[in-house]
Every structure is written in structure tokens, then in C-alpha cells.
Amino acid sequence: MRVSARAATGVSTGSTSVGVPRWAFVPAAVGGLFVLLPLVAMATRVDWSSYWSLITSESARAALLLSLQTSAASTVACLVIGVPMALVLARCRFPGIDLLRSLVMVPLVLPPVVGGIALLYTFGRRGLLGETLEVASVQVAFSTTAVVLAQTFVALPFLVTSLEGALRTAGARYEVVAASLGARPTTVLRRVTLPLVWPGLLSGAVLSFARALGEFGATITFAGSLQGVTRTLPLEIYLQRETDPDAAVALSLLLVVVAVLVIAATRRDRSPL
């Protein structure tokens, strides 16, 4: 008996989901509710009559603007150093590459506060590089630059993982053909490799931006909380929770909305097979 490609992959045809066991819909629905219900519960606690005034206060606007600026900067930093890292991990073979891949993934499993401590002892005044930077009159810790570094530290693995997976899936056959025709490695990367893995690159960049937007632990440890300088929206929410719970809930919902809009704006529509 022949099994069609649709049945093998479990795609949807009309109203029928081919290849998906019926029991799978139950845990899938539970998982969806597990994500959705807390958001709904938070929305029910918002004071809608004063919502606009809460999210447009001076401190809220400053925190949101700083979060967007630093998240964009950290995403650019992730692209600049993450694309070469993913390329090396996906295409090169040398002793220690598995260890290198594991080290790149470490920020994914570290508590963010541990990352902040590590950054503080690297770039702080008495850190590994901090004393040298101090001699050059460059202070990193407890500055906006520290926010960008903290966000980049925790967001970089998302870009590297997404792009490395896309590179491995795409394979190297087209790159080999381009190189055999005389294209230089940089030309191959620009004209062949990156266009092939563009969806994976875009996905990694969006995940990095979203992770940076929600970063808290490493930021407050390494950068502190100075309004307009290092106090991002997650830090503002944390502080407001102690003094004005209504403002904290309103800002939390704002952060959720911004994150959803960012992901939705960059997500490509995929038509069913």
C-alpha cells in the first residue's frame, strides 16, 4: 500500500489532519492552554480605565524606548558575531569543535544572574578586562553598553542554534558548485549560502531580539537600574511591582504585546502543502 507524502508528513488537507494521532490533540490543547491561560489571567487584572496613563508615564516610555534600542543593538551584535560562529560550527571540522559548540550553548542553561556576574567580573572595574578599559577611560559596567552586552550574552545562542541548523539542513552542494566555478568564499557566502538559509537567519534574529527584549537577571546584575540609562522595561516592571501593582500588570501586558507584534511582523505566512 502506498503512503502519500501528505500522510507521511502529517499535513492538513481541508478539515482533516492526516497522519496525526487523535490522542495528540489532547496534550496539544493542554499545552496551548498552559501558555494562553496565564496571559488571559494577567489581562483580567489590568485596570483598563487607567491603562493608557500607566503605559505612557515618563518612566514607562523611557524604559520601553531603552528596551527597543538596546534589543535592536544586541540583535545586530548577535548577527555580526553569530553568523560567523554558526558558519564555523556547521561547516568546519577540527579538534574541540564539539566543546566549542557546547560552550556557545551555555548561556541557554545558565541562570541569567550567573551570566550577569560573569560579565561583571569580565568588564567590571576590577574585572578581567575592566582594569584595562578603565585605563583607557572606558567604563562598561552600569552603563547602556552593559545592557547591550548582557542582552547579547543571553540572546546569541538563539541565533547560532537556528542558523547552524539551517546551514546543516541546506547542505553544502550549492556552495561546492559555486566554488568550483571560481567564486571566492566571501562571494559564496553572500550570493549562495545566506540566501539559502535566510528563513533560519531571520528566525534566529527574531528569537534573539525577543530574548533580549525580555532579559532581566543579567541586566540588573551587570548594568544596574538607572532610569533612562540601564532600566529596561523588565526592570521597570519589577520595580513597579513593589510600589504600583497596577502599573506592573499594565507594563507586563505591554511587553507581551510588543513581543507578539515583533514575532508576527517577521513571521512568514506558510501555505499548506
Side-chain angles (χ1 to χ4, degrees):
M1 182 178 65
R2 292 183 179 181
V3 179
S4 67
R6 291 178 182 273
T9 54
V11 296
S12 175
T13 56
S15 59
T16 305
S17 297
V18 181
V20 180
R22 292 180 181 273
W23 59 262
F25 290 95
V26 175
V30 172
L33 290 173
F34 181 73
V35 174
L36 183 61
L37 282 179
L39 302 179
V40 173
M42 181 174 63
T44 61
R45 294 301 183 98
V46 174
D47 183 2
W48 294 106
S49 62
S50 57
Y51 181 76
W52 183 251
S53 62
L54 291 173
I55 65 172
T56 56
S57 64
E58 181 180 355
S59 60
R61 285 186 286 109
L64 176 60
L65 180 60
L66 181 64
S67 288
L68 293 175
Q69 291 174 337
T70 55
S71 296
S74 67
T75 302
V76 172
C78 287
L79 288 169
V80 170
I81 61 179
V83 171
M85 288 175 67
L87 192 64
V88 169
L89 292 174
R91 295 288 187 261
C92 297
R93 293 292 179 272
F94 53 84
I97 190 170
D98 291 333
L99 176 60
L100 177 60
R101 182 179 290 108
S102 299
L103 292 175
V104 170
M105 298 299 109
V106 164
L108 286 176
V109 297
L110 277 182
V113 67
V114 175
I117 292 174
L119 290 171
L120 187 61
Y121 282 111
T122 302
F123 298 101
R125 288 186 176 183
R126 299 186 180 279
L128 186 63
L129 302 178
E131 293 183 356
T132 303
L133 294 173
E134 283 288 325
V135 173
S137 300
V138 177
Q139 182 177 349
V140 176
F142 306 106
S143 66
T144 304
T145 302
V147 177
V148 176
L149 289 176
Q151 292 174 341
T152 303
F153 181 79
V154 300
L156 182 61
F158 290 89
L159 177 68
V160 175
T161 302
S162 296
L163 186 54
E164 184 190 359
L167 286 166
R168 290 181 178 277
T169 301
R173 58 189 181 277
Y174 296 114
E175 298 168 356
V176 172
V177 172
S180 67
L181 294 175
R184 295 179 177 274
T186 301
T187 303
V188 174
L189 174 65
R190 181 170 54 88
R191 300 291 297 274
V192 178
T193 306
L194 292 182
L196 280 175
V197 299
W198 172 249
L201 179 60
L202 180 61
S203 175
V206 171
L207 287 173
S208 296
F209 183 90
R211 179 64 186 88
L213 192 65
E215 164 50 31
F216 173 79
T219 303
I220 197 171
T221 304
F222 179 44
S225 179
L226 302 174
Q227 184 172 341
V229 179
T230 65
R231 186 178 301 169
T232 57
L233 194 56
L235 271 65
E236 178 70 16
I237 292 170
Y238 177 78
L239 294 175
Q240 290 290 354
R241 181 176 176 273
E242 301 295 328
T243 58
D244 190 350
D246 289 338
V249 174
L251 293 175
S252 297
L253 186 61
L254 174 63
L255 186 58
V256 170
V257 170
V258 171
V260 170
L261 290 177
V262 168
I263 295 173
T266 54
R267 183 176 177 82
R268 297 173 60 184
D269 291 331
R270 298 180 180 179
S271 58
L273 296 176

